[in-house]
Amino acid sequence: MINNRVLTVVEDLERTLVEFIRKHRVTHAEYRAATDLIIAEVQAGEMSLLFDVFLEAAATDVGNQDREGSVEAIEGPFYLPGAPWLEGPRHVLPQRPDEAGIPLVFHGQVTTEAGKPLAGVELDLWNADAKGLYSQIHPGIPDWNLRGRFRSDDEGRFEVRTIVPPPYEIPKDGPTGTVLNALGRHFFRPAHLHVKLRHPHFGERTSQLYFEGGPYLDSDVANAVRTELVITAQLVEDPELTARYGLDVPFVDARYDFVFAPSPAVSDG
Ligand code: MBD
Ligand code: FE
């Protein structure tokens, strides 16, 4: 059966690309180099990295135009479904006993647009380790390291401890790196936390939070920073406070409150 949406966008994409090939007099060798690049991308385990770096933020912006509540951000190529459920109430992402990096306590509240707390929202977090590497993507890291799920409490509040991720550097020696090199661009994304929220009625949202004052906020290689997603982080050194989190070293405290609005197609009930 013909799908009208597919018909509209795929035929326009086809027209756009055929026109593009003629306009730039793209040769067959160049055409084949492009298809080879996409095959190499998947074979190198970079998954959707190439597309996510160049295009994902535009698609995310389109979704944000039609929806109230907290803005969404790009998912990126390294999300994995099925992360372990964590014990509460002080959730800690799975990490090595000697996990490098400053501990980060990320907390906040999930509410509706009307400010009603949303309990039982599933939060699914993942971030890079202190070397900028993601578990199950980059080798040598225990499975599910710095990936985990938990739910907001009765007041919609949540808390999780992880480590402060560094800026993320796109692999230089892979196919996406080859393209960025050819364009003379740098390879960095600002430091970020990825988080998905799920609610049985409101659906799923994908967010990503950045840290105020950090490098590359204005020059993200994926052009995905939105000011609403930049949070302030404070170093906490008070031993009484660090002990509360089972820590004997200073940690960074960062807060973000999610406003979970229904999708345009779903009513608030
Ligand atoms: C990431 O961690 C990421 O979020 C994106 C968009 C691209 C590469 C790595
Ligand atoms: Fe990332």
Side-chain angles (χ1 to χ4, degrees), residues 74-79 126-128 134 168 189-190 192-194 208:
I74 64 174
E75 175 182 38
F78 301 147
Y79 171 69
W126 71 108
N127 68 262
Y134 286 91
Y168 181 81
R189 301 210 61 228
H192 57 272
L193 290 180
H194 292 276
Q208 190 176 151

Side-chain angles (χ1 to χ4, degrees), residues 6 23 58 73 75 87 90 93-94 114 142 145 155 187 225 253:
V6 172
K23 177 173 147 195
E75 175 182 38
E87 300 277 334
R90 300 236 129 101
L93 288 192
N145 206 60
E155 294 173 345
F187 290 68
V225 179
D253 176 289

